[in-house]
Amino acid sequence: MNKKINTDQCNPSDIRELPVDPDSLEKDFDHTLIYHLGRFLGCNPYYLYETLSLVIRKRVMTDWRNTWLQHKKKGVRRAYYMSLEFLIGRSLGNHLLNLGIQEETAEAMQSVTNELERILELEPDAGLGNGGLGRLAACFMDSCASLKLPVTGYGIRYEYGMFRQIIEDGRQLEEPDHWLRNGNPWELERPEYIQQIQFGGHTFHDIDHNGQQRVRWIETDDVLAVPYDVPVSGYNNNVVNTLRLWKATATDLFNLAEFNAGSYPEAVAQKNDAEHITMVLYPNDASECGKELRLRQQYFLAAASLKDIFRQWDKVEGRNYSNFAAQNVFQMNDTHPTIAVAELMRILVDEKRLSWDKAWQITTRTMAYTNHTLLPEALERWPVRLFERLLPRHLEIIYRINADFLHQVAMRWPGDVSRMQRMSIIEEGDQKSVRMAYLAIVGSFSVNGVAALHSALIKSGLFHDFHQMWPGKFNNKTNGVTPRRWIAHANPLLTELISRTIGSEWIADLSHIKALNGYASKKSAKFQQHWHQIKQQNKQRLADLVEQECGVKFSIDAMFDVQVKRIHEYKRQLLNVLHIIHLYSRIKHGDTHNWTNRCVLIGGKAAPGYVMAKNIIKLISDVANVVNNDPDVGDLLKVVFFPNYCVSSMEIIAPGTDLSEQISTAGKEASGTGNMKFMMNGAVTIGTYDGANIEILDAVGEENFFLFGLRENEVEELRYHYNPQALIDNEPRLAVVMGLLESGHFNTYEPGIFNDLIASLKTPHDPWMTLADFGSYIDAQEMAAAAFRDQGHWIQMSIRNTARSGFFSTDRTISDYNNEIWKLEPIEVQTPE
Ligand code: 26Q
């Protein structure tokens, strides 16, 4: 075979690295624009973005290819991050940073624009995720590449990502996010690796010619999975890892019966059905949805990814799986891909013909599960009836797994029937269902939570029985965020100051950022002045965005007080609103001595079916409306609901924030990661003792953090005698706030529209116990306001927050995953001559 066209034997030095000097980039830009896109300067500026992306994509190709060749060498242990969500955001700016060609590119683009920034803004966000869990997956991919670890991401290429949020008359409307409309220069379709995925049908048990039991899954409705690869560049290290996203299409085998019956269009229309599987991301981020299409998505991802891994394995190793567990590890991002446990068993037993025990050994040595929630209502359960119809073979496998498991439980706790019922993977009842979290725990060698408190609560509460059975399985991996996107890319001014002051090692190893501590004392007045100037510039950038999006003017001398995250009762945006109403009422009463001007920004999406969350948005908007238009208020207080909060808006919001709101009911927020982005950018946190806030507090010290509220154990204790009415009666500030809220003052046109919200605050059964924390929240806000008036001191707190954020880099998180779970060796990728 001609060596030049045999891509599998292609030698790294065969592919030349393309030049990255400004002159070459400019020439390639012109050439690509004209000869590839067939357009000219002066075209729609989107094409300039597309052209530049293609030019930069060519610059990652060599490293991408070389990294791939290194990873597929025999004997390289690899990890696979399986996630229904990868909330990537924009890519072009991130690649420029990682490749170290920001300046060269800006210079090359001089003849087109002197504001490269404007071109980068034309890239649509890849919003393939809901929130924290999806963004975490994206930060993990960045850190894996930057740490040179052979990790491949597997996900779904949703045609429509997270919906676009429009605010009309204070209410959320959802618009479809057709992010692929203009194509996606960052993906590479790989039809050569298509997989066929089965659904439905039934099982057929017989005996093979060796007298062995054999199960066939037959008469299924099949769908094709087409992989689209997205490059993930490491920071300054020649590594480019792969995120492989699957799209569903119809098999070319049309229904012949329909064909012959003359129903050609009906037969072709099946294509549509297949493509529905990857059409849209489910926008519920914390409740089970029980929809068949969702389970189809989950199985589609698990099956396509495992088949892809076996395709590669069989090519190199043949049908010998004795080393499979030594060389492969799957990290499941929550229970969403957990059907992979049953699918791996099916492949090993039914297709590869291993014994059940051998297969189970391999499965439980390769699977690892990360839990992201403590809310019991968010644990996924699927009706057994649905499994019977969609995945009949997997249901049999799950039953067998459960029988073996319950046998173990019975051996350990003889006669403890209630424990068996509690721990069973199958939940009995009028609607039998499969508890996916239990399947994940039983099928995995590692189960981790995402912050210290969360991991402790998993062991003592949610999964207590399982922890008793297998204490060694359970561990903590405190979340992080990537400092490349969240400081170096999002905050170029601060990046320049930090690097000029302590060198630039912090970008690749954030533990170096602690050197900034030395600049937080009185001696470093000059540095602090620079720090302040940069914060003011970032606040202006945010203020401009707020004016453009909300039509409200923020003055940068006010404190920028920000809460951005999904809208949820447990995250307690309502508590924030109560504080706003408290401030408003103080203004109306002339109680403004020692005042700190504030601009409050709240943003986030509500799940479309979550009525309460949508009401919260309406309340915030209505309160904002009254506050912003009251002449008595003026600059003392401004409030906005920021529409369509997403990754690219956070890149502007975090650097411009003074005060970061992390105010969930203690014990409910698994970790939080927005809290870390704010901290890195020098915001000070006001927060409860919850999730990773605790570790942030630990890192910065109480003097640089506004802590308030009940602890997790106090919340649980109070539940038995929670009396919100007594709190209102005994706390005049709260009585005033509730009075104003109940008076209809914030929406005189629609009396009673907030009755449900008010009732949720006042019921003794309020699970989030919002009013219990009101007093201490207001006190903490007062302290924050006072602290902000001493700007010199505030700046020092700000610097200390950034300086002590080193632990919250996903490089640290991923090192922990690797040292304790994955155990991969970093793989060097050399630059070719
Ligand atoms: C489940 C079933 C059907 C449809 C949708 C879902 C679904 C989708 C997304 C359920 C949950 C999610 C996302 C959860 C999430 O983002 N959790 C957050 O994860 C972060 C990263 O670990 C933590 O920091 C947050 O505390 C946690 O809330």
Side-chain angles (χ1 to χ4, degrees):
M1 191 191 278
N2 182 338
K3 185 164 170 288
K4 279 216 172 77
I5 59 167
N6 181 350
T7 52
D8 280 351
Q9 284 172 15
C10 170
N11 179 322
S13 57
D14 287 357
I15 331 176
R16 207 160 45 85
E17 194 99 51
L18 291 179
V20 291
D21 60 286
D23 204 43
S24 310
L25 288 172
E26 186 180 353
K27 287 210 175 73
D28 196 3
F29 182 92
D30 293 343
H31 190 272
T32 305
L33 180 67
I34 297 168
Y35 296 101
H36 186 95
L37 272 75
R39 292 182 169 86
F40 303 88
L41 288 179
C43 60
N44 182 323
Y46 176 83
Y47 296 117
L48 304 178
Y49 151 72
E50 186 181 347
T51 303
L52 184 57
S53 293
L54 292 172
V55 168
I56 300 307
R57 191 178 93 168
K58 292 182 209 174
R59 268 73 191 169
V60 309
M61 277 298 172
T62 320
D63 289 340
W64 199 4
R65 179 80 200 158
N66 290 338
T67 305
W68 190 252
L69 290 172
Q70 293 296 328
H71 289 182
K72 69 177 206 173
K73 282 189 178 154
K74 206 175 161 79
V76 175
R77 178 172 165 84
R78 300 173 61 177
Y80 305 92
Y81 198 78
M82 294 216 192
S83 177
L84 271 280
E85 308 192 3
F86 286 90
L87 224 187
I88 299 163
R90 293 177 178 143
S91 288
L92 176 52
N94 204 243
H95 284 295
L96 295 180
L97 171 73
N98 285 341
L99 302 185
I101 55 172
Q102 288 171 306
E103 280 166 23
E104 289 81 349
T105 307
E107 197 182 323
M109 296 295 287
Q110 276 296 330
S111 59
V112 180
T113 172
N114 47 27
E115 280 185 304
L116 181 57
E117 208 39 55
R118 296 283 93 81
I119 292 196
L120 304 188
E121 284 166 9
L122 298 171
E123 177 170 359
D125 275 34
L128 309 184
N130 274 283
L133 167 151
R135 182 55 230 177
L136 185 74
C139 283
F140 277 7
M141 291 305 295
D142 178 274
S143 283
C144 289
S146 294
L147 294 169
K148 306 180 181 172
L149 297 177
V151 177
T152 299
Y154 277 109
I156 290 182
R157 180 183 178 275
Y158 299 105
E159 199 77 31
Y160 293 86
M162 189 60 197
F163 65 81
R164 191 187 334 283
Q165 180 192 54
I166 312 282
I167 301 296
E168 216 175 87
D169 189 27
R171 290 188 175 83
Q172 166 175 300
L173 302 180
E174 299 94 30
E175 269 191 0
D177 164 44
H178 198 186
W179 71 294
L180 291 169
R181 177 167 312 150
N182 301 311
N184 174 10
W186 296 107
E187 67 183 14
L188 205 59
E189 185 181 356
R190 292 219 179 269
E192 64 272 39
Y193 301 135
I194 281 178
Q195 294 292 347
Q196 188 154 339
I197 310 299
Q198 301 173 272
F199 286 100
H202 55 94
T203 61
F204 181 76
H205 294 241
D206 68 352
I207 307 289
D208 70 10
H209 51 83
N210 296 321
Q212 304 285 325
Q213 262 270 356
R214 160 162 215 168
V215 183
R216 276 182 245 266
W217 183 16
I218 54 174
E219 295 176 12
T220 50
D221 286 323
D222 295 0
V223 167
L224 296 182
V226 186
Y228 287 72
D229 287 356
V230 178
V232 181
S233 54
Y235 180 71
N236 192 18
N237 67 1
N238 305 109
V239 169
V240 179
N241 282 350
T242 299
L243 170 58
R244 180 159 282 181
L245 302 177
W246 299 99
K247 173 194 163 87
T249 71
T251 56
D252 298 327
L253 309 165
F254 293 120
N255 187 331
L256 278 182
E258 301 227 31
F259 249 6
N260 297 337
S263 307
Y264 171 79
E266 285 71 21
V268 176
Q270 285 185 344
K271 185 172 164 58
N272 219 330
D273 252 18
E275 295 191 343
H276 284 154
I277 293 178
T278 52
M279 195 59 74
V280 58
L281 166 78
Y282 273 93
N284 351 22
D285 76 322
S287 62
E288 29 161 6
C289 74
K291 293 281 198 298
E292 172 174 340
L293 183 61
R294 170 72 179 185
L295 184 58
R296 280 183 187 271
Q297 291 182 336
Q298 297 185 346
Y299 178 65
F300 176 79
L301 169 64
S305 309
L306 286 174
K307 280 169 184 269
D308 193 48
I309 289 159
F310 275 100
R311 175 187 58 78
Q312 297 174 55
W313 177 271
D314 290 359
K315 198 160 74 185
V316 179
E317 307 281 339
R319 291 172 71 99
N320 171 3
Y321 304 100
S322 53
N323 278 329
F324 191 84
Q327 300 202 20
N328 295 286
V329 54
F330 306 105
Q331 191 72 44
M332 300 186 288
N333 200 17
D334 216 299
T335 51
H336 312 158
T338 289
I339 190 60
V341 170
E343 173 67 2
L344 182 52
M345 287 300 290
R346 190 192 66 79
I347 293 173
L348 291 171
V349 174
D350 296 355
E351 293 183 2
K352 309 301 182 189
R353 311 294 291 126
L354 268 58
S355 72
W356 179 272
D357 291 346
K358 270 246 143 24
W360 186 241
Q361 243 186 30
I362 291 175
T363 300
T364 51
R365 287 173 188 184
T366 48
M367 292 283 171
Y369 158 54
T370 304
N371 172 278
H372 295 265
T373 185
L374 284 156
L375 308 181
E377 66 266 31
L379 293 184
E380 281 194 289
R381 285 180 311 228
W382 290 107
V384 162
R385 297 289 301 275
L386 181 54
F387 260 99
E388 273 166 2
R389 191 152 50 76
L390 210 61
L391 301 168
R393 178 56 183 147
H394 297 80
L395 185 61
E396 294 174 353
I397 290 171
I398 290 169
Y399 273 133
R400 167 92 190 261
I401 292 172
N402 196 38
D404 293 356
F405 164 63
L406 289 180
H407 179 71
Q408 269 184 277
V409 176
M411 303 274 277
R412 174 83 189 271
W413 290 282
D416 193 342
V417 178
S418 85
R419 183 186 291 266
M420 303 249 296
Q421 279 170 0
R422 285 202 308 271
M423 296 182 79
S424 174
I425 296 171
I426 304 297
E427 182 172 48
E428 304 289 335
D430 5 312
Q431 246 248 53
K432 270 215 250 183
S433 54
V434 182
R435 296 162 161 157
M436 298 308 277
Y438 294 1
L439 177 60
I441 297 171
V442 173
S444 297
F445 68 92
S446 165
V447 177
N448 75 280
V450 290
L453 174 71
H454 171 232
S455 298
L457 292 174
I458 278 179
K459 294 197 272 188
S460 64
L462 200 59
F463 301 146
H464 181 246
D465 291 326
F466 292 88
H467 178 248
Q468 279 192 327
M469 187 153 178
W470 295 305
K473 269 193 196 187
F474 289 79
N475 63 93
N476 173 246
K477 296 288 168 282
T478 298
N479 283 166
V481 304
T482 169
R484 266 78 61 186
R485 180 174 296 261
W486 296 111
I487 311 178
H489 172 70
N491 202 338
L493 299 174
L494 200 65
T495 297
E496 194 275 330
L497 174 64
I498 297 172
S499 294
R500 174 153 48 90
T501 309
I502 63 168
S504 56
E505 290 79 12
W506 62 272
I507 301 175
D509 176 358
L510 198 64
S511 67
H512 286 104
I513 202 91
K514 63 175 177 284
L516 284 181
N517 267 313
Y519 297 83
S521 70
K522 285 216 178 66
K523 294 173 305 195
S524 307
K526 193 98 207 135
F527 177 83
Q528 289 164 26
Q529 200 187 332
H530 283 144
W531 191 273
H532 179 63
Q533 282 165 357
I534 288 167
K535 181 57 86 176
Q536 295 303 94
Q537 290 179 62
N538 286 330
K539 286 170 78 171
Q540 190 57 57
R541 185 170 63 146
L542 174 54
D544 293 343
L545 182 65
V546 167
E547 185 167 8
Q548 178 193 312
E549 297 296 320
C550 316
V552 175
K553 276 201 156 69
F554 275 11
S555 155
I556 61 168
D557 295 324
M559 172 198 260
F560 281 19
D561 169 348
V562 177
Q563 183 176 24
V564 283
K565 50 183 80 245
R566 290 301 290 263
I567 310 294
H568 257 287
E569 290 166 282
Y570 84 80
K571 295 175 188 281
R572 296 201 299 192
Q573 281 90 359
L574 276 181
L575 184 57
N576 194 341
V577 175
L578 296 181
H579 173 245
I580 294 168
I581 296 176
H582 166 74
L583 291 180
Y584 172 72
S585 140
R586 277 184 59 190
I587 295 169
K588 295 304 277 184
H589 288 92
D591 174 16
T592 55
H593 58 281
N594 287 335
W595 189 263
T596 300
N597 291 356
R598 274 199 206 234
C599 296
V600 184
L601 183 156
I602 302 176
K605 293 176 183 175
Y610 188 173
V611 174
M612 215 50 138
K614 289 184 142 178
N615 281 335
I616 293 173
I617 292 176
K618 175 65 172 156
L619 175 63
I620 297 165
S621 308
D622 285 356
V623 169
N625 216 1
V626 169
V627 168
N628 297 338
N629 294 305
D630 187 326
D632 294 347
V633 176
D635 279 344
L636 297 175
L637 181 62
K638 292 273 177 241
V639 181
V640 298
F641 185 86
F642 185 91
N644 199 39
Y645 170 62
C646 59
V647 172
S648 54
S649 42
M650 187 57 160
E651 291 168 8
I652 311 289
I653 292 169
T657 295
D658 294 310
L659 188 66
S660 153
E661 300 268 353
Q662 308 300 336
I663 60 179
S664 51
T665 309
K668 300 302 172 193
E669 188 69 271
S671 163
T673 46
N675 47 4
M676 302 167 186
K677 295 161 199 169
F678 284 118
M679 178 197 199
M680 282 183 188
N681 283 282
V684 183
T685 303
I686 183 165
T688 46
Y689 208 72
D690 196 18
N693 294 354
I694 298 173
E695 290 154 85
I696 289 176
L697 170 65
D698 205 50
V700 296
E702 294 219 25
E703 66 288 4
N704 301 298
F705 189 110
F706 298 97
L707 177 66
F708 73 95
L710 297 175
R711 305 282 174 109
E712 186 273 334
N713 58 314
E714 297 169 327
V715 168
E716 292 316 313
E717 201 280 321
L718 180 60
R719 260 186 221 296
Y720 302 99
H721 45 92
Y722 181 50
N723 184 350
Q725 190 57 52
L727 291 166
I728 298 172
D729 296 340
N730 296 322
E731 163 66 91
R733 299 177 299 183
L734 179 55
V736 169
V737 168
M738 293 304 291
L740 250 181
L741 189 53
E742 292 178 302
S743 74
H745 182 78
F746 298 105
N747 188 331
T748 48
Y749 300 101
E750 295 170 274
I753 66 163
F754 300 125
N755 283 354
D756 287 355
L757 283 187
I758 294 166
S760 77
L761 292 170
K762 293 175 78 170
T763 166
H765 307 295
D766 173 16
W768 324 115
M769 293 198 267
T770 303
L771 300 192
D773 283 342
F774 176 86
S776 71
Y777 180 54
I778 302 297
D779 294 343
Q781 286 284 19
E782 202 117 334
M783 292 203 284
F788 192 76
R789 287 196 292 277
D790 181 351
Q791 277 288 300
H793 179 238
W794 186 273
I795 292 159
Q796 294 173 1
M797 291 203 292
S798 168
I799 295 167
R800 290 197 180 103
N801 267 273
T802 303
R804 296 172 190 178
S805 66
F807 181 75
F808 302 100
S809 166
T810 33
D811 297 348
R812 189 272 314 153
T813 310
I814 288 297
S815 300
D816 289 351
Y817 273 90
N818 192 42
N819 293 331
E820 294 159 30
I821 305 175
W822 302 343
K823 303 186 191 294
L824 312 171
E825 297 295 335
I827 306 287
E828 299 290 330
V829 178
Q830 250 50 306
T831 347
E833 294 306 304

